[in-house]
Amino acid sequence: MPEYKAPLRDMRFLLNEVFDYPGHYEKLPSGKEATPDMVEAILSECARFCEEVLAPLNQKGDADGCELRDGKVTTPRGFKAAYDQFVAGGWQGLSHPAEYGGQGMPMSMGMLKSEMMGTCNWSFTMYPGLSLGCMNTILLHGTEEQKDAYMPPLTQGTWGGTMCLTEPQCGTDLGQVSSKAEPNADGSYNVTGTKIFISSGDHDLTENIVHIVLARLPDAPPGTRGISLFIIPKYLPDGKGGIGEYNNVECGSLEHKMGIKGSATCVINFDQSKAFLIGPPNKGLDCMFTFMNTARIGTAVQGVGAAELAYQGALLYSKERRSMRALSGKKEPEKVADALHYHADVRRMLLTMRAIAEGGRAMLYHAAQFADFMSEAILAKDEKKREQWDDKLGFFTPILKGFLTEVGYEAANLGMQVFGGHGYIKEHGMEQIVRDARIATLYEGTTGVQALDLLGRKVLLMTKGKAVQEFTGTILKLCAQLARDKTTLPFALTLAKLCAQWNYLTVRLMLVASRDRDMVSSAAYDFLMYSGYVTMGYFWALQANVAATKLKKGGGSETAEFYRTKLETAEFYFQRILPRAGAHADSMLAPTSSVMQTPIEHFEFA
Ligand SMILES: Cc1cc2nc3c(=O)[nH]c(=O)nc-3n(C[C@H](O)[C@H](O)[C@H](O)COP(=O)(O)OP(=O)(O)OC[C@H]3O[C@@H](n4cnc5c(N)ncnc54)[C@H](O)[C@@H]3O)c2cc1C
């Protein structure tokens, strides 16, 4: 397995020099404690925990997998001890309110933690990650009684959580959910039904597991308007902070899957399990999706993590492995052959991984500031502000989730490619990165669903193209700055053209879609990828702008080599990756007949 080294230099560059996180935290009520020294201490300690504890378990977790025996799931060897350290370190409650035992740090600090932990061991990080979804739902929609009963052990990490949406007949189309909730005289419910693919559905890391479950009340309207949300603990709370009676929540089986084998993916059967309604009846989906944007950003992190880990592994290997001579002449004449990294094609692969990892990280850190504002509004119970920030974040979310997981997977594949045949062999751990990263484009809404959300809902329906206009306005402001310096002028010229094209494409699609409804679905994927490449272009240009300024002024907390490399990677991105946007532009405007004209029975011709 590639040895993981937390990319602290890049993280600090983004936090302090590109996005001014110290200034950002000063503006937040929850940011008072997040002083530069405190942030630095948390980052360093998290990096140590990741490098020394979690990273060494990644390959072992893949080999061991999870086991279901006598109705109980065990996680891979070493996971429980690592989880105990995670709990002792107070990591679960880093960004959750102090009144429940958390550290009350801004939401974005939690993302930085998840980025490092998820990169070096995604399977392990899934367990606390699912708990976060559960905690956020209870925090926002639970009654005071529910919060008091569940938040303290969840915040501490001694109880875990899940999100139970998917059933055998439906994943994307949750309107088909059929688990049933029958009311009891005491105000609770009994839920019966089967959920599949439930991450962290059962395991041996915590003493209790709190499931957040979608089910239907009797006489609920059909479809998405008739779904309610419930808390169903595996063991009922005993009222004194401990666990009581077993609640008929059973793990029926474990899924045998391609990757993330250390993460238990369970079939969970609820059999007359005692359940507690959370949020209003029949509004379950609205409640579940309040934190959808932040949960989806959590999955986007997986794409960036895969690119980072693949890059670290491939870089090391490309220095050690020798093959033939560089086309421009021997580089290491004393050696039998030149190292891989002298070959232009290998450098192309390395730089692609790096550009995706660092460009994607910048995209995430920008969105995390929006998430901070949104969660502050939630805590302040300011619904108007919450909506405002959720909308802002909402435009970027499908781009982050859909695009970053797609290119993250590409980067994982390139990491394997740099290893040649050795990448395909388990020993080096590069094929594990590919297998683990593959799920990211599927769960939390497939790429196709993100694409429809972006083009159909966020761009065409909700904002009539304004979302694109607004963001391209921001990009053009940067272009004006970039144009003042000859080093960054080429970035400005390219981005300005793309801004015009992005708006043109939006209007064209809006017009065509008004008479041909299939247009949205047929163009959505290309629109998503186009938007992703241009957005990443903006964040590379932003980094290049800072690097160029620091080089010119001779200041900054990094070395000149660091800033120069930023500029060179930005140039690589603009010259070698961003042109892909053009192909997506052509493809999205192709008539729908190109995908719809072939009758379905003709798909079967051999
Ligand atoms: C390892 C793993 C962990 C998971 N963890 C959880 C979990 O913790 N909790 C949970 O509830 N679920 C979980 N899931 C389920 C996951 O979220 C779903 O598998 C996912 O949402 C897709 O649903 P589906 O599998 O039913 O695919 P489907 O909805 O059947 O989709 C199949 C294909 O059709 C496309 N498609 C569907 N509808 C449309 C449309 N209207 N227009 C265009 N294309 C469409 C999709 O993009 C996809 O390509 C997990 C799944 C896996 C594999």
Side-chain angles (χ1 to χ4, degrees):
M1 198 76 202
E3 225 175 79
Y4 173 71
K5 195 98 193 64
L8 290 175
R9 281 178 81 179
D10 195 48
M11 292 172 81
R12 287 184 193 120
F13 168 69
L14 291 175
L15 293 173
N16 300 325
E17 300 187 57
V18 179
F19 295 114
D20 184 23
Y21 263 73
H24 167 71
Y25 283 157
E26 270 176 22
K27 286 185 232 138
L28 302 176
S30 69
K32 300 283 168 281
E33 302 280 313
T35 57
D37 285 352
M38 177 59 88
V39 171
E40 185 54 38
I42 292 172
L43 291 184
S44 307
E45 183 50 25
C46 187
R48 189 204 60 76
F49 180 60
C50 290
E51 290 166 6
E52 293 174 13
V53 181
L54 296 186
L57 290 176
N58 197 19
Q59 208 170 4
K60 286 187 198 147
D62 182 63
D64 280 6
C66 297
E67 250 185 64
L68 172 65
R69 203 171 284 165
D70 303 327
K72 289 204 164 82
V73 175
T74 45
T75 52
R77 276 170 299 162
F79 270 39
K80 172 70 178 140
Y83 188 80
D84 289 345
Q85 285 192 50
F86 173 88
V87 171
W91 291 111
Q92 185 71 52
L94 183 65
S95 300
H96 280 77
E99 63 177 303
Y100 300 116
Q103 298 185 42
M105 289 280 162
M107 190 87 145
S108 52
M109 284 303 299
M111 198 203 69
L112 302 179
K113 165 199 81 176
S114 303
E115 182 204 333
M116 285 190 262
M117 293 188 182
T119 302
C120 71
N121 194 333
W122 188 261
S123 287
F124 177 90
T125 308
M126 291 278 287
Y127 295 98
L130 268 296
S131 297
L132 283 180
C134 170
M135 286 157 73
N136 288 340
T137 309
I138 295 176
L139 195 58
L140 189 60
H141 300 290
T143 60
E144 289 309 313
E145 208 184 352
Q146 287 169 339
K147 286 185 215 170
D148 290 344
Y150 295 99
M151 284 304 292
L154 282 167
T155 305
Q156 215 186 325
T158 48
W159 291 9
T162 75
M163 303 297 275
C164 298
L165 293 75
T166 308
E167 296 186 1
Q169 73 286 2
C170 65
T172 302
D173 183 7
L174 292 170
Q176 295 183 48
V177 158
S178 69
S179 291
K180 286 197 168 47
E182 299 158 78
N184 295 319
D186 64 358
S188 68
Y189 295 79
N190 280 357
V191 165
T192 301
T194 295
K195 296 284 174 179
I196 64 164
F197 297 165
I198 303 308
S199 303
S200 321
D202 196 49
H203 54 78
D204 55 359
L205 303 181
T206 57
E207 64 178 14
N208 200 6
I209 299 174
V210 183
H211 301 279
I212 301 288
V213 183
L214 289 179
R216 279 182 191 284
L217 294 167
D219 309 323
T224 49
R225 290 196 186 137
I227 295 173
S228 303
L229 196 60
F230 297 89
I231 300 177
I232 310 185
K234 180 175 173 184
Y235 295 98
L236 292 164
D238 66 0
K240 291 176 263 171
I243 57 170
E245 212 181 309
Y246 174 59
N247 194 23
N248 290 341
V249 180
E250 184 213 26
C251 175
S253 63
L254 279 180
E255 305 294 352
H256 299 283
K257 53 193 195 293
M258 176 179 177
I260 53 165
K261 289 179 189 273
S263 160
T265 310
C266 308
V267 171
I268 296 288
N269 297 317
F270 299 99
D271 180 11
Q272 297 280 309
S273 307
K274 198 154 197 166
F276 308 96
L277 185 69
I278 181 164
N282 299 328
K283 294 275 180 225
L285 275 188
D286 296 349
C287 297
M288 185 76 130
F289 285 145
T290 316
F291 272 95
M292 183 180 70
N293 286 328
T294 44
R296 289 188 165 168
I297 292 172
T299 312
V301 168
Q302 191 179 2
V304 172
E308 176 66 40
L309 196 60
Y311 175 64
Q312 291 195 14
L315 178 64
L316 206 65
Y317 191 74
S318 73
K319 289 185 197 163
E320 288 165 0
R321 178 85 173 170
R322 279 159 216 295
S323 177
M324 302 171 68
R325 293 295 179 189
L327 291 181
S328 53
K330 285 184 185 175
K331 296 292 180 276
E332 296 173 300
E334 73 291 358
K335 301 270 168 52
V336 62
D338 290 337
L340 289 182
H341 64 73
Y342 287 111
H343 300 298
D345 188 52
V346 173
R347 296 173 72 98
R348 169 189 65 79
M349 294 191 274
L350 290 172
L351 281 164
T352 303
M353 286 180 263
R354 182 180 193 143
I356 291 171
E358 294 181 8
R361 182 171 299 120
M363 287 165 72
L364 290 174
Y365 287 16
H366 164 258
Q369 293 193 334
F370 287 6
D372 278 342
F373 287 127
M374 193 185 95
S375 61
E376 293 294 340
I378 288 173
L379 290 175
K381 298 192 174 28
D382 187 337
E383 187 52 21
K384 209 169 142 210
K385 271 212 173 118
R386 184 197 73 77
E387 258 181 40
Q388 195 187 327
W389 285 108
D390 199 29
D391 283 352
K392 272 184 185 284
L393 194 58
F395 171 67
F396 290 105
T397 308
I399 300 178
L400 296 172
K401 188 335 184 148
F403 173 75
L404 290 180
T405 58
E406 289 286 340
V407 293
Y409 181 62
E410 176 192 342
N413 263 309
L414 287 176
M416 189 165 110
Q417 195 73 15
V418 167
F419 274 67
H422 297 269
Y424 198 67
I425 305 300
K426 274 191 178 292
E427 186 189 338
H428 298 284
M430 298 305 284
E431 57 81 50
Q432 185 191 336
I433 305 175
V434 177
R435 286 186 290 104
D436 286 356
R438 185 64 187 86
I439 184 61
T441 70
L442 297 166
Y443 56 17
E444 275 297 334
T446 59
T447 304
V449 168
Q450 303 303 327
L452 281 174
D453 182 43
L454 176 69
L455 179 61
R457 274 188 75 231
K458 310 279 171 58
V459 171
L460 299 185
L461 199 67
M462 285 168 65
T463 67
K464 310 263 180 297
K466 276 211 190 81
V468 173
Q469 272 171 30
E470 252 178 50
F471 183 46
T472 49
T474 306
I475 300 178
L476 288 172
K477 273 191 204 141
L478 175 68
C479 289
Q481 287 180 43
L482 294 165
R484 285 189 216 127
D485 185 321
K486 71 174 185 338
T487 323
T488 50
L489 175 67
F491 302 130
L493 298 176
T494 307
L495 276 181
K497 274 189 224 147
L498 286 166
C499 283
Q501 187 183 39
W502 200 355
N503 282 294
Y504 162 75
L505 292 168
T506 306
V507 173
R508 266 291 294 272
L509 291 176
M510 206 174 333
L511 291 174
V512 180
S514 63
R515 51 189 154 78
D516 180 354
R517 306 301 281 181
D518 281 326
M519 191 64 185
V520 175
S521 189
S522 96
Y525 167 76
D526 286 303
F527 188 83
L528 173 89
M529 295 306 285
Y530 177 95
S531 307
Y533 285 120
V534 179
T535 305
M536 193 178 265
Y538 166 72
F539 284 103
W540 264 116
L542 199 63
Q543 295 183 73
N545 192 35
V546 173
T549 311
K550 299 280 173 180
L551 276 174
K552 209 153 76 184
K553 293 191 176 156
S557 47
E558 267 300 344
T559 58
E561 284 75 23
F562 180 93
Y563 296 126
R564 250 178 245 125
T565 308
K566 275 287 171 199
L567 276 168
E568 287 156 6
T569 314
E571 207 171 293
F572 173 84
Y573 182 82
F574 269 71
Q575 293 177 357
R576 293 278 178 152
I577 301 184
L578 190 52
R580 295 178 193 181
H584 286 293
D586 290 347
S587 177
M588 79 177 82
L589 292 182
T592 54
S593 57
S594 58
V595 283
M596 300 309 283
Q597 66 191 353
T598 308
I600 200 69
E601 55 274 21
H602 293 182
F603 277 55
E604 286 170 28
F605 293 155

